Amino acid sequence: MIVITKPDITEERISEITQYIERNGVQPHVSRGTDRTVIGIIGKAEPTLADHLRQLKGVENVIKISKSYKLASRDFHPDDTIIDIKGVKIGGSNLVIMGGPCAVETPEQIDEIARLVKAAGGQVLRGGAFKPRTGPYSFQGTGVEGLRMMAEAGKKHGLLTITEVMTPEYVDVCAEYADILQVGTRNMQNFDLLRKLGTIQTPVLLKRGFSATYDEFLNAAEYILAGGNPNVMLCERGIRTFESYTRNTLDLAAIPVLQSLSHLPVISDPSHGTGRRELVEPMSKASVAAGANGLIVEMHTDPDNSMTGDGVQSLFPDQFANLLKDLEKLAPLVGKQFNTEKQPAEAFATWKM
Ligand code: PEP
Ligand code: MN
């Protein structure tokens, strides 16, 4: 249930209403929007509560919400959530670009890629230190050592960092080194992990499970929000369909649908969403045109020798830079601003194909 307050309501009155809600044994969540303050109610309320609330001074309307997720829904929080990480804003009209390798391999590799991401105008360095691999004999990542390498490269080149966390036990160490924690597609419903992420404030990029519906996806986000961490972004990374030409089918419709159902930023991953390098550029542009708040793109200086085999979907650095140049032109056409601190072309000079 949500309580929509009158436009001229005072802070004092909002506080009286929230106290009234608490006295009724349920939990109020206040969301201050540009036009209105909305009070969401969580918990099992007495059937008569809605009628009582409707009669209170300062209340314009009370609406019952049937969705199973509450804090993630736009009904509870009409304005876009904007997550500010060290001055980089994610959500609303800002377009954020995250780029980097599938996995952190060596200090030299991540340093060089970080330099190229920054030079192209990206704001976030991606790289997995703990890799969720389909087979147990495949390369599993460089672990804590990889986290250190990436944190150093991010700091040196002025980039935020994002890395995947797979288990609750590793949340604290990953949060110590990275600015954003990624929950991979295979862990979207790892509820212990989601609960643990709800106990910290580090921003989380939650990837859609490859067979998850929008409702299941938003309920997974709800676990993190309900735990007390409001800094969640959703990531469409492709779903499993009957088509085998592409690794996954990037569900472009998910972008506007999730943005209508939820206030959380929506990031698109055209790399895992297609599994094919030549499709990353068109699907990146399509994602931005569909309203994505950002992209997470794999880029590698030596994709043929990438340690995870995701080289086939990784852009070469010059392709990444050209994509960002085009996105700079596209962004304003779809109401987005792309704040890049690009560096001159010489920044690419030492990288050889
Ligand atoms: C990744 O980002 O490298 C990754 C493993 O992603 P996903 O969980 O979407 O497969
Ligand atoms: Mn990958």
Side-chain angles (χ1 to χ4, degrees):
M1 166 162 43
I2 57 169
V3 178
I4 299 167
T5 63
K6 295 216 162 113
D8 55 357
I9 193 165
T10 61
E11 279 303 319
E12 199 185 349
R13 188 63 194 142
I14 291 172
S15 147
E16 285 163 6
I17 296 173
T18 57
Q19 285 164 25
Y20 180 87
I21 292 168
E22 277 163 356
R23 281 200 300 278
N24 278 272
V26 280
Q27 263 225 305
H29 280 263
V30 179
S31 167
R32 289 175 177 81
T34 39
D35 309 331
R36 284 308 150 103
T37 294
V38 167
I39 307 170
I41 297 178
I42 295 202
K44 195 142 177 52
E46 289 293 324
T48 50
L49 182 62
D51 287 339
H52 290 152
L53 285 168
R54 221 171 260 125
Q55 285 158 22
L56 294 184
K57 196 171 114 243
V59 170
E60 186 159 286
N61 201 2
V62 177
I63 302 171
K64 290 201 174 145
I65 305 286
S66 53
K67 294 187 185 91
S68 47
Y69 53 88
K70 312 278 180 205
L71 299 174
S73 94
R74 213 178 253 286
D75 303 319
F76 261 52
H77 190 296
D79 286 2
D80 290 342
T81 279
I82 297 178
I83 305 172
D84 187 326
I85 316 171
K86 299 180 181 165
V88 174
K89 292 187 174 55
I90 304 181
S93 61
N94 309 285
L95 181 68
V96 68
I97 305 295
M98 313 183 185
C102 184
V104 182
E105 298 170 7
T106 63
E108 296 75 27
Q109 173 241 22
I110 197 69
D111 177 74
E112 178 66 348
I113 293 176
R115 186 181 69 77
L116 291 159
V117 168
K118 182 71 180 181
Q123 297 97 346
V124 185
L125 177 65
R126 64 144 290 151
F130 297 95
K131 295 303 302 176
R133 304 309 304 282
T134 302
Y137 309 120
S138 309
F139 169 65
Q140 304 286 313
T142 43
V144 177
E145 210 33 60
L147 294 178
R148 280 201 197 101
M149 296 176 208
M150 187 159 81
E152 199 168 306
K155 207 166 174 187
K156 177 171 161 195
H157 296 284
L159 292 167
L160 299 178
T161 57
I162 176 168
T163 200
E164 175 160 356
V165 60
M166 296 200 294
T167 60
E169 302 79 67
Y170 277 96
V171 165
D172 291 334
V173 68
C174 289
E176 197 184 313
Y177 288 103
D179 297 299
I180 308 171
L181 300 181
Q182 172 178 322
V183 175
T185 191
R186 297 159 186 82
N187 275 317
M188 188 203 83
Q189 285 187 318
N190 179 340
F191 299 117
D192 285 344
L193 177 61
L194 302 178
R195 272 195 209 96
K196 171 73 184 169
L197 289 165
T199 66
I200 59 171
Q201 293 294 298
T202 306
V204 176
L205 178 136
L206 177 65
K207 287 192 150 194
R208 180 182 181 185
F210 52 72
S211 306
T213 63
Y214 301 146
D215 196 74
E216 289 162 340
F217 190 14
L218 290 166
N219 267 295
E222 187 80 9
Y223 268 87
I224 306 172
L225 299 170
N229 184 350
N231 305 313
V232 178
M233 43 198 123
L234 305 168
C235 177
E236 165 57 37
R237 52 76 69 201
I239 49 174
R240 191 162 277 187
T241 67
F242 55 80
E243 184 53 70
S244 58
Y245 182 88
T246 44
R247 181 175 175 182
N248 292 287
T249 297
L250 185 70
D251 178 12
L252 282 174
I255 299 165
V257 172
L258 292 169
Q259 286 172 334
S260 71
L261 296 174
S262 177
H263 50 91
L264 300 172
V266 178
I267 308 296
S268 173
D269 175 350
S271 307
H272 296 86
T274 63
R276 300 177 74 108
R277 179 180 302 130
E278 73 279 13
L279 297 179
V280 172
E281 182 212 316
M283 294 315 271
S284 293
K285 291 178 179 171
S287 297
V288 172
N293 301 101
L295 299 173
I296 180 161
V297 176
E298 288 191 345
M299 183 262 260
H300 203 291
T301 44
D302 186 9
D304 289 348
N305 293 306
S306 137
M307 288 173 80
T308 60
D310 274 6
V312 290
Q313 66 191 33
S314 296
L315 294 183
F316 287 101
D318 55 345
Q319 292 176 315
F320 181 80
N322 287 334
L323 170 64
L324 268 60
K325 266 190 212 145
D326 286 351
L327 291 177
E328 216 174 341
K329 288 180 231 147
L330 176 59
L333 298 179
V334 291
K336 291 275 188 297
Q337 60 211 47
F338 182 22
N339 301 321
T340 82
E341 273 175 60
K342 251 198 311 306
Q343 287 167 13
E346 297 84 86
F348 293 85
T350 60
W351 175 74
K352 293 183 191 62
M353 219 166 132

